[in-house]
């Protein structure tokens, strides 16, 4: 019922269209990449199928095999065991069938041949058409096949086939013949074990040699042995009519409408495909922008809802139009070029042999008339009435690296797979070539999933490069890019999981489970891939939000397995291919090593303030030249609590107001913060704490100045990013004549004691800055207390810590010119890496590869490359860090110890700043802020709405700002989900 399956499967078009109607535009974007690539591929195949292929000849073998020979463009190259789809409208207008290519693009640069066995309705009709007509209209798609000839790396090859299963091996043997004719090229020894039912099937061996070739064939250099078994005839036939062994060769008349088979996108197909994908997507975005601006937006501006289904139809239509236009332009350009080349391809003179090697093998008194056939016959031994003893043949194979290829009935493949997996011969490496199309598709899908996963893996390390200059250019901070790392991580590991599962299923169905233990000296190492996958799976499972929040330490420590993951990923694919992810990984390694160097420095903690709301403010000494922006993040490590844990906290100080100090606030919420809080809140607090830091990191932006009014909505400790913003506005208001936006701070707290967080708004600098210059209003909401509490809480307590000569001020790891130093590290380390790779390749690897029969181990080469990569980065980064450290040390000697603040540092409300600050504040007890009313009551035309707090609060504010009634509200969120 193949035809029922084939025609019903075309309903996927209706399925996809109505699926889009069901899920909507947002979810369409989720699957758009896959649909986009499929549409491009499908349309390219459609364009190729519209052309008629030039059928030159056919050879009709006595056993019902048809060899069709097409003209092809000399620039079209394909690999052995490739597949070509064939469509014959006179047989069936819609059906396409895949067949194995038997020709070789090197031996036959202007011809392409396929073998078809007559065993179904379609093939019987085709056989009739070929015998009765002198021209046949044929369309093709392809060829499609593997990108590598991995079998050439084997010491010897054993090919086992049954019946027409010999066809993939025909192309492999022709490739080996071509390679053997090249100088200084070593090819593996070949043993072909082929089983046929009767003598007529021996004519299949005639296909081992091309019908005609532009070069003189010399197969004497190929060590080839053929063991042919005729299972249903017990003796060599004596009285057999010669005509039964004849091969009929039929030439077809040329037609001006026919053209040679050519690559649909020419020789540089990858380049053209990339151009199609990028240009079509850009065109789609432009068209969508025009339609939205001039068709959809005017309707919605009139307070009318544009029909939901029409939006989806527009999206689907514009995707198709952009793909059709760009693909058609590229295809027509390539077609024009290939047409001019095709006109130069003359009619091929084909020999017309009437006898086959089958007759020679049967003892006919015919003189062998050509050296290739003579060599082939001398290499062939026929066994009648017997089946091959595969176990004996395989176990008798000599050599340390024997590739065993099998293609034929399922029972034969299973038997060979069991022999190779038995453990009796460790030199056998099994591979099955199956005619089950779904298995071929599964193998191809597994490979493509891995390739797409590698592309996503390329971008995985960019978001976690905290000091990256790339994200600063596009206005992203290090903490805001983490979500992209999370999304990419989920995508990468989903693809890699599907990649691994597809291969496991494929190996299980083709009885190649021994492949899971494959770690070859050359090529793909499956064991390394499995180790990398298990490490990635561990990181993935512990990174889901529910487990990460409950077991953060498990997530934290498990995530360091990324080192093993990357190393074994490189072992799996080889260092050359892993260079696809080199840019992101290279920048990450530099950033990670610089952070490691900075983290080895102990920083000077001057004082702490213990607030009644179970929060502490840490004040560090800093280099006056260190500038950082508002809402920056700094990572803290306290070895007395945990040697390995680093936690990010928002910087609340301002580098202009407090040039020699840097402050952060830490709220007691977890085990780590509780231990830190206890060190300072106890009756006998510590007088010194060993602290290391990384950072600060942040994006230098003053975008908040472009608004007429700023509405800052915070919940609990979410007020911390706004503290640094307000301090920056205080400095600007006092130091320049810039127009400062009005500020409305809406702060929600649970209890009255949390109001002490507002005291952090006042700068700790001894330089007087007048906060009254700001047009500031503070609306503080106490949600769990209905009246002001009469219960007194402890006042904020300041603890001064003893200095240590080993402590240093916080300073930029690469000094004030960090951009220049970072560029110098990247360029110089990469040059050193290339020089080291060049030297080791020239004087160590190259002599082994080219002067001996040995091939240098790929895993060892990967280890050397990774080692040189790390060495080059460590050398250059260490030199740059050391030079800046010495300069910073000289400057810090000039910084005198910070003078002690008076004991009255616990600020009194009598101070001017506190009085002004108190006048700005309105307290609301027992209620939550009506955010909708507050935001809609803003009269200004440009209102910036910043929110930091619980996820529910951020979602509510985002919903309000995205409504049609809030065109003047510009929303921005600060998230603590690091």
């Amino acid at each position: 019922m193949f035809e029922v399956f084939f025609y019903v499967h075309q309903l996927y078009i209706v399925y996809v269209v109505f699926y889009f109607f069901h899920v909507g535009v947002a979810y369409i974007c989720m699957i758009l990449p896959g649909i986009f690539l499929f549409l491009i591929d499908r349309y390219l195949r459609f364009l190729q199928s519209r052309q008629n292929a030039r059928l030159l000849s056919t050879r009709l073998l006595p056993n019902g095999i048809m060899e069709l020979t097409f003209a092809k463009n000399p620039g079209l190259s394909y690999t052995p065991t490739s597949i070509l789809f064939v469509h014959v409208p006179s047989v069936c207008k819609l059906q396409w069938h895949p067949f194995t290519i038997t020709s070789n693009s090197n031996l036959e640069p202007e011809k392409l041949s396929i073998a078809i066995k007559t065993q179904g309705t379609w093939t019987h009709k085709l056989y009739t058409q070929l015998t009765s007509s002198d021209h046949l209209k044929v369309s093709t798609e392809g060829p499609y096949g593997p990108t590598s000839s991995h079998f050439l790396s084997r010491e010897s090859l054993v090919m086992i086939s049954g019946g027409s299963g010999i066809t993939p091996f025909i192309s492999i043997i022709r490739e080996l013949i071509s390679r053997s004719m090249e100088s200084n090229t070593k090819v593996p020894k070949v043993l072909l074990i082929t089983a046929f039912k009767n003598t007529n099937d021996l004519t299949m061996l005639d296909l081992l040699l091309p019908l005609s070739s532009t070069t003189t064939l010399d197969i004497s250099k190929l060590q080839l042995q053929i063991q042919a078994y005729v299972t249903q005839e017990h003796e060599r036939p004596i009285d057999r009519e010669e005509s039964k062994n004849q091969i009929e060769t039929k030439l077809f008349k040329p037609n001006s409408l026919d053209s040679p088979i050519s690559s649909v996108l020419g020789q540089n197909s990858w380049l053209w495909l990339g151009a199609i994908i990028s240009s079509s997507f850009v065109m789609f975005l432009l068209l969508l922008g025009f339609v939205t601006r001039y068709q959809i937006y005017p309707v919605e501006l009139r307070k009318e809802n544009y029909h939901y289904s029409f939006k989806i139809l527009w999206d689907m239509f514009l995707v198709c139009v952009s793909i059709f236009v760009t693909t058609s332009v590229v295809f027509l350009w390539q077609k024009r070029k290939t047409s001019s080349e095709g006109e130069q391809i003359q009619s091929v003179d084909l020999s017309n042999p009437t006898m086959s090697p089958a007759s020679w093998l049967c003892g006919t008194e015919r003189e062998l008339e050509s050296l290739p056939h003579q060599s082939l016959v001398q290499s062939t031994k026929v066994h009648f009435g017997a089946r091959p003893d595969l176990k004996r043949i395989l176990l008798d194979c000599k050599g340390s690296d024997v590739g065993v290829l099998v293609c034929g009935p399922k029972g034969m493949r299973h038997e060979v797979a069991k022999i190779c997996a038995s453990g009796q011969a460790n030199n056998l490496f099994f591979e099955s070539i199956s005619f089950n199309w779904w298995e071929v598709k599964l193998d191809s899908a597994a490979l493509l999933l891995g390739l797409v996963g590698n592309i996503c893996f390329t971008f995985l390390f960019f978001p976690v490069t905290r000091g990256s200059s790339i994200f600063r250019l596009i206005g992203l901070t290090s903490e805001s890019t983490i979500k992209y790392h999370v999304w990419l991580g989920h995508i990468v590991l989903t693809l890699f999981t599907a990649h691994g599962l597809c291969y496991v299923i494929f190996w299980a169905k083709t009885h190649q489970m021994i492949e899971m233990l494959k770690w070859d000296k050359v090529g793909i190492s499956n064991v390394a891939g499995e180790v990398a996958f298990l490490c990635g799976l561990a990181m993935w499972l512990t990174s889901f939000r529910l487990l990460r929040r409950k077991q953060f330490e498990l997530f934290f420590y498990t995530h360091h397995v990324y080192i093993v993951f990357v190393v074994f990923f490189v072992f799996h694919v080889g260092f050359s291919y892993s260079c696809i992810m080199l840019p992101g990984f290279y920048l990450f390694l530099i950033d990670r090593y610089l952070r490691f160097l900075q983290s080895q420095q102990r920083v000077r903690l001057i004082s702490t303030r213990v607030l009644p709301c179970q929060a502490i403010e840490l004040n560090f000494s800093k280099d006056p030249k260190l500038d950082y922006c508002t809402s920056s993040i700094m990572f803290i490590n306290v070895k007395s609590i945990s040697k390995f844990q680093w936690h990010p906290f928002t910087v609340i100080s301002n580098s202009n107001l407090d040039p020699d100090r840097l402050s952060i606030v830490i709220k007691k919420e977890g085990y780590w913060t509780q231990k830190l809080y206890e060190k300072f809140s106890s009756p006998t607090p510590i007088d010194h704490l060993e602290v290391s830091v990384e950072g600060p990191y942040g994006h230098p932006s003053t975008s908040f100045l472009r608004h007429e009014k700023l509405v800052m909505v915070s919940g609990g400790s979410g007020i911390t990013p706004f503290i640094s913003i307000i301090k920056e506005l205080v400095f600007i208001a006092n130091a320049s004549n810039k127009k400062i936006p009005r500020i409305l701070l809406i702060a929600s707290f649970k209890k009255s004691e949390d109001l002490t967080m507002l005291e952090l708004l006042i700068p700790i600098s001894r330089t007087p800055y007048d906060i009254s210059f700001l047009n500031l209003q503070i609306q503080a909401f106490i949600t769990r207390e209905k009246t002001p509490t009469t219960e007194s809480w402890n006042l904020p307590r300041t603890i001064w810590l003893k200095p240590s000569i080993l402590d240093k001020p916080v300073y930029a790891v690469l000094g004030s010119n960090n951009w220049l130093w970072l560029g110098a590290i990247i360029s110089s380390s990469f040059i050193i890496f290339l020089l080291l790779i060049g030297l080791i390749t020239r004087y160590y690897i190259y002599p082994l590869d080219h002067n001996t029969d040995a091939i240098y181990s790929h895993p060892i080469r990967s280890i050397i490359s990774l080692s040189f990569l790390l060495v080059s980065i460590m050398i250059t980064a260490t030199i740059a860090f050391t030079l800046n450290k010495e300069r910073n040390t000289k400057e810090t000697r000039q910084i005198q110890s910070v003078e002690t603040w008076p004991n009255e540092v616990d600020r009194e409300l009598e101070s001017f700043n506190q009085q002004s600050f108190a006048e700005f504040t309105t307290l609301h007890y027992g209620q939550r802020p009506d955010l909708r009313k507050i935001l809609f009551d803003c009269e200004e035309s440009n209102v910036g709405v910043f929110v930091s707090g619980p996820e529910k609060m951020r979602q509510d504010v985002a919903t309000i700002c995205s409504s049609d009634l809030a065109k003047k509200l510009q929303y921005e969120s600060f998230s603590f989900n690091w």
Side-chain angles (χ1 to χ4, degrees):
M1 300 293 287
F2 176 78
E3 292 188 356
V4 175
F5 155 79
F6 180 83
Y7 293 120
V8 171
H9 229 63
Q10 306 305 313
L11 292 175
Y12 78 89
I13 301 173
V14 181
Y15 173 84
V16 170
V17 170
F18 281 91
Y19 173 80
F20 284 174
F21 285 141
H22 173 61
V23 300
V25 176
Y27 277 94
I28 290 177
C29 296
M30 186 175 180
I31 63 171
L32 185 61
I35 292 291
F36 211 83
L37 293 177
F38 171 77
L39 286 177
I40 292 174
D41 175 75
R42 188 66 193 88
Y43 187 57
L44 283 172
R45 289 191 282 122
F46 168 78
L47 292 175
Q48 186 184 23
S49 66
R50 295 302 93 191
Q51 300 183 101
N52 295 331
R54 185 179 301 168
L55 180 60
L56 299 175
S57 67
T58 180
R59 281 201 287 179
L60 305 176
L61 278 63
N63 61 342
I65 295 290
M66 303 168 280
E67 184 189 38
L68 276 61
T69 301
F70 300 90
K72 90 168 182 69
N73 192 300
L76 172 62
S77 297
Y78 51 87
T79 53
T81 71
S82 292
I83 297 291
L84 184 75
F85 281 80
V86 176
H87 169 60
V88 183
S90 58
V91 176
C92 182
K93 292 184 177 180
L94 298 177
Q95 287 189 28
W96 290 78
H97 292 269
F99 298 103
T100 305
I101 296 175
T102 59
S103 56
N104 179 265
S105 58
N106 297 315
L107 291 180
E108 304 150 283
E110 296 181 354
K111 294 191 295 296
L112 185 149
S113 302
I114 61 173
I116 303 174
K117 186 172 183 178
T118 308
Q119 60 178 16
T121 304
W122 190 89
T123 53
H124 275 94
K125 290 182 179 179
L126 176 62
Y127 189 90
T128 304
Q129 294 273 348
L130 291 172
T131 56
S132 60
S133 61
D134 56 2
H135 178 265
L136 193 64
K137 185 178 179 181
V138 183
S139 300
T140 62
E141 285 184 8
Y144 308 106
T147 57
S148 64
S149 301
H150 59 278
F151 49 82
L152 291 174
S153 62
R154 303 293 183 190
E155 183 180 343
S156 59
L157 289 176
V158 178
M159 304 179 186
I160 304 172
S161 69
S164 58
I166 194 176
T167 49
F169 301 147
I170 294 172
S171 60
I172 293 177
I173 290 176
R174 292 190 184 184
E175 175 69 16
L176 292 172
I177 292 173
S178 173
R179 295 294 181 95
S180 68
M181 296 167 60
E182 298 176 1
S183 59
N184 299 325
T185 302
K186 184 179 179 180
V187 295
K189 303 175 184 178
V190 180
L191 172 59
L192 175 61
I193 310 294
T194 179
F196 300 113
K197 291 182 178 179
N198 50 59
T199 308
N200 278 341
D201 292 333
L202 288 172
T203 54
M204 291 288 291
L205 297 176
D206 190 54
L207 303 180
L208 290 174
L209 296 176
L211 185 61
S212 63
S213 176
T214 57
T215 59
T216 303
L217 293 182
D218 180 9
I219 66 172
S220 60
K221 295 181 181 180
L222 178 64
Q223 300 182 53
L224 172 65
Q225 292 183 7
I226 303 174
Q227 299 284 340
Y229 291 81
V230 182
T231 59
Q232 295 184 2
E233 294 181 1
H234 295 279
E235 59 183 5
R236 179 176 299 171
I238 300 174
D239 298 326
R240 178 177 293 273
E241 296 180 11
E242 189 174 308
S243 60
K244 292 185 178 180
N245 280 325
Q246 287 184 350
I247 296 178
E248 180 185 353
T249 301
K250 184 174 182 179
L251 305 180
F252 291 95
K253 293 181 179 180
N255 189 302
S256 59
L257 298 178
D258 297 340
S259 58
I261 297 175
S262 59
S263 176
V264 66
L265 292 178
Q267 295 182 6
N268 299 319
S269 56
W270 286 91
L271 181 63
W272 285 109
L273 184 60
I276 290 174
I277 294 172
S278 56
S279 59
S280 59
F281 190 69
V282 170
M283 180 180 290
F284 164 68
L285 294 178
L286 290 174
L287 293 175
L288 184 62
F290 281 119
V291 170
T292 304
R293 174 63 182 85
Y294 296 106
Q295 180 70 26
I296 300 176
Y297 181 73
V299 174
E300 294 186 342
L301 197 61
R302 297 195 300 266
K303 306 293 177 67
E304 300 176 11
N305 290 326
Y306 199 85
H307 200 285
Y308 177 79
S309 299
F310 289 165
K311 287 184 179 179
I312 297 174
L313 286 174
W314 270 117
D315 288 341
M316 290 189 292
F317 174 72
L318 295 178
V319 166
C320 294
V321 166
S322 58
I323 289 174
F324 292 165
V325 171
T326 54
T327 306
S328 298
V329 169
V330 173
F331 177 79
L332 292 174
W333 175 268
Q334 291 295 325
K335 182 181 178 182
R336 180 183 177 185
K337 187 165 61 174
T338 55
S339 296
S340 60
E341 295 174 355
E343 292 174 357
Q344 302 173 7
I345 301 176
Q346 305 298 324
S347 299
V348 181
D349 294 330
L350 297 173
S351 59
N352 190 7
T354 58
M355 300 294 290
S356 78
S359 61
W360 304 332
L361 297 171
C362 291
T364 305
E365 299 293 333
R366 176 177 173 83
E367 181 182 356
L368 301 181
E369 53 195 4
S370 65
L371 179 60
H373 280 101
Q374 185 177 5
S375 301
L376 184 63
V377 173
Q378 290 174 350
S379 303
T380 305
K381 184 176 181 180
V382 181
H383 306 269
F384 290 90
R387 294 180 181 274
D389 186 352
L390 297 176
K391 186 171 184 179
R392 181 186 61 80
I393 294 172
L394 292 174
L395 296 180
D396 287 345
C397 291
K398 306 299 180 183
S400 60
D401 186 10
V402 180
V404 181
L405 309 180
V406 59
C407 183
K410 189 175 183 180
M412 174 184 283
R413 301 200 306 272
H414 290 185
E415 182 182 357
V416 176
K418 290 178 181 178
I419 296 171
C420 295
S422 64
Q424 299 181 42
N426 295 324
N427 61 338
L428 302 179
F429 298 92
F430 174 77
E431 181 173 346
S432 173
I433 301 177
S434 173
F435 283 112
N436 291 332
W437 185 243
W438 76 268
E439 292 179 2
V440 177
K441 283 291 188 182
L442 184 63
D443 185 24
S444 176
L447 177 62
L448 289 175
L449 286 168
L451 293 175
V452 176
N454 290 343
I455 294 173
C456 297
F457 191 40
T458 303
F459 302 97
L460 186 63
F461 288 98
F462 282 109
V464 288
T465 307
R466 295 175 191 165
S468 172
S469 57
I470 296 175
F471 286 103
R472 293 181 184 178
L473 294 175
I474 56 179
L476 292 176
T477 60
S478 58
E479 66 273 12
S480 64
T481 57
I482 292 299
K483 60 185 177 183
Y484 302 112
H485 174 73
V486 174
W487 295 345
L488 284 168
H490 286 311
I491 294 171
V492 166
L493 286 166
T494 299
L495 291 170
F496 282 171
T497 301
H499 166 73
L501 289 177
C502 285
Y503 266 122
V504 170
I505 295 171
F506 173 74
W507 291 332
K509 293 299 294 182
T510 57
H511 296 272
Q512 301 181 69
M513 293 302 290
I514 192 66
E515 287 287 316
M516 293 190 67
L517 303 178
K518 174 184 174 183
W519 189 315
D520 286 349
K521 184 179 179 181
V522 178
I524 299 295
S525 300
N526 293 335
V527 174
E530 291 152 15
V531 174
F533 169 68
L534 292 176
C535 295
L537 196 61
M539 290 189 291
W540 191 23
L541 294 177
T542 56
S543 66
F544 284 97
R545 185 175 182 181
L546 183 62
L547 183 60
R548 186 181 73 245
R549 285 185 172 274
K550 291 185 177 181
Q551 299 287 336
F552 178 80
E553 290 190 358
L554 176 64
F555 155 77
F556 180 82
Y557 293 120
T558 304
H559 232 61
H560 285 80
V561 181
Y562 79 88
I563 301 171
V564 184
F565 175 81
V566 170
V567 170
F568 280 88
F569 170 80
V570 174
F571 286 158
H572 176 55
V573 301
F575 186 80
S576 298
Y577 188 80
S578 61
C579 287
I580 189 175
M581 62 137 187
L582 186 60
F585 188 59
Y586 202 85
L587 293 178
F588 170 77
L589 284 178
I590 293 174
D591 176 77
R592 187 66 192 87
Y593 185 63
L594 287 172
R595 289 193 280 121
F596 168 77
L597 293 175
Q598 185 186 21
S599 67
Q600 300 310 300
Q601 307 292 313
R602 287 166 47 179
V603 296
R604 185 178 301 166
L605 179 60
I606 301 173
S607 66
T608 65
R609 269 205 301 170
V610 183
L611 303 178
C613 57
Q614 294 187 329
I616 53 175
E617 178 190 28
L618 303 182
N619 300 303
F620 299 93
S621 173
K622 89 167 183 72
D623 183 358
K625 292 184 178 181
L626 172 61
D627 290 327
Y628 51 88
C629 55
T630 58
S631 65
S632 291
I633 295 290
M634 189 165 72
F635 283 77
I636 304 295
N637 171 249
V638 181
K639 287 185 170 62
S640 59
I641 300 177
S642 175
K643 292 183 179 180
F644 301 105
Q645 288 190 29
W646 290 80
H647 293 268
F649 299 101
T650 305
V651 177
I652 63 168
S653 56
N654 181 268
S655 57
N656 297 309
L657 294 181
D658 308 298
D660 53 3
R661 290 182 180 83
L662 185 149
S663 303
I664 62 172
V665 172
I666 300 175
K667 180 89 171 177
K668 189 186 82 170
E669 289 185 351
Y671 173 81
W672 190 90
T673 53
Q674 181 180 351
K675 288 293 183 182
L676 182 64
Y677 182 79
E678 290 173 355
K679 288 181 179 294
F680 296 106
S681 61
S682 63
T684 56
I686 60 175
D687 57 4
H688 181 265
L689 187 65
E690 185 177 330
V691 184
S692 299
V693 301
E694 288 182 6
Y697 306 106
H699 170 58
S701 171
T702 56
S703 59
F704 45 82
L705 291 176
R706 62 187 173 89
H707 301 291
E708 296 180 33
K709 182 176 184 179
L710 293 178
V711 179
M712 302 178 182
V713 183
S714 69
S717 57
I719 194 176
T720 50
F722 302 146
I723 294 174
S724 60
I725 294 178
I726 291 175
K727 288 182 178 180
E728 177 70 13
L729 292 173
V730 169
F731 171 77
I732 296 174
N734 283 266
S736 66
N737 296 322
K738 289 184 180 179
K739 184 178 180 181
I740 305 300
R742 298 173 58 190
I743 303 173
L744 172 59
L745 174 61
I746 303 170
S748 297
F749 302 108
K750 293 180 180 179
K751 299 179 181 180
S752 298
E753 61 188 26
D754 293 332
L755 289 171
T756 53
M757 293 287 288
L758 295 175
E759 290 196 22
L760 302 175
L761 290 169
I762 303 173
I764 61 176
S765 172
R766 289 158 294 166
T767 306
Y769 284 96
D770 193 353
I771 198 172
S772 62
F773 284 0
L774 285 183
N775 192 343
L776 172 66
Q777 292 183 357
I778 301 176
Q779 300 284 338
F781 292 81
I782 315 300
T783 59
R784 294 188 180 180
E785 295 178 2
K786 295 185 178 180
T787 57
T789 178
T790 57
E791 179 183 342
S792 62
W793 58 77
N794 296 326
L795 292 174
R797 182 164 58 122
T798 302
I799 301 171
W800 295 90
L801 303 178
K802 293 180 180 179
S804 171
I805 58 174
L806 298 177
D807 296 340
K808 306 294 181 183
V810 180
Y811 58 85
V813 64
L814 291 178
S816 55
N817 297 320
N818 58 337
W819 288 77
L820 183 62
W821 281 105
L822 186 60
I825 291 173
I826 294 172
S827 56
S828 58
S829 61
F830 193 67
I831 291 173
I832 292 176
F833 168 66
L834 293 178
L835 289 174
L836 291 175
I837 286 292
L839 291 173
I840 197 72
T841 302
R842 175 64 184 83
Y843 295 105
Y844 180 64
I845 299 176
Y846 182 82
L848 288 176
D849 274 346
H850 292 268
N851 296 335
T852 66
D853 292 335
I855 298 177
Y856 199 81
S857 174
H858 284 191
I860 297 178
R861 182 177 293 191
S862 298
I863 292 175
I864 293 174
S865 300
L866 284 174
S867 301
F868 285 167
L869 187 70
L870 295 174
V871 167
S872 59
I873 289 174
M874 292 174 66
I875 290 174
T876 53
T878 302
I879 292 174
F881 176 80
T882 305
L883 291 175
N884 280 281
K885 181 181 177 182
E886 291 178 355
R887 188 172 61 179
N888 287 326
T889 302
K890 293 178 181 178
E891 294 175 354
T892 52
R893 289 173 184 169
Q894 303 172 7
I895 301 175
Q896 304 299 324
S897 56
V898 181
E899 60 177 324
T900 307
W901 295 348
N903 291 332
E904 295 81 19
V905 72
D906 297 331
R907 302 176 182 115
E908 302 289 344
L909 285 177
E910 288 81 11
S911 67
F912 174 76
N913 279 340
Q914 283 283 16
Q915 291 177 2
S916 303
F917 175 71
E919 293 173 358
F920 299 149
T921 306
T922 304
L923 301 179
H924 305 271
Y925 287 88
Q927 58 179 305
R928 297 179 182 275
D930 186 352
L931 297 175
R932 187 179 184 88
K933 179 179 182 300
I934 293 173
L935 293 175
F936 284 164
D937 286 347
C938 294
E939 298 178 354
E940 290 77 6
S941 59
N942 186 358
V943 180
V945 181
F946 296 173
V947 59
S948 176
E951 184 176 1
K952 180 65 167 56
M953 172 183 283
R954 299 199 306 270
Q955 291 175 351
D956 290 343
V957 176
T959 302
I960 296 170
C961 294
S962 61
S963 64
D964 294 335
L965 301 176
K967 301 293 185 183
K968 60 186 177 182
L969 303 179
Q970 309 295 323
Y971 173 79
E972 183 174 342
S973 173
F974 292 82
S975 174
F976 285 106
N977 291 330
W978 183 258

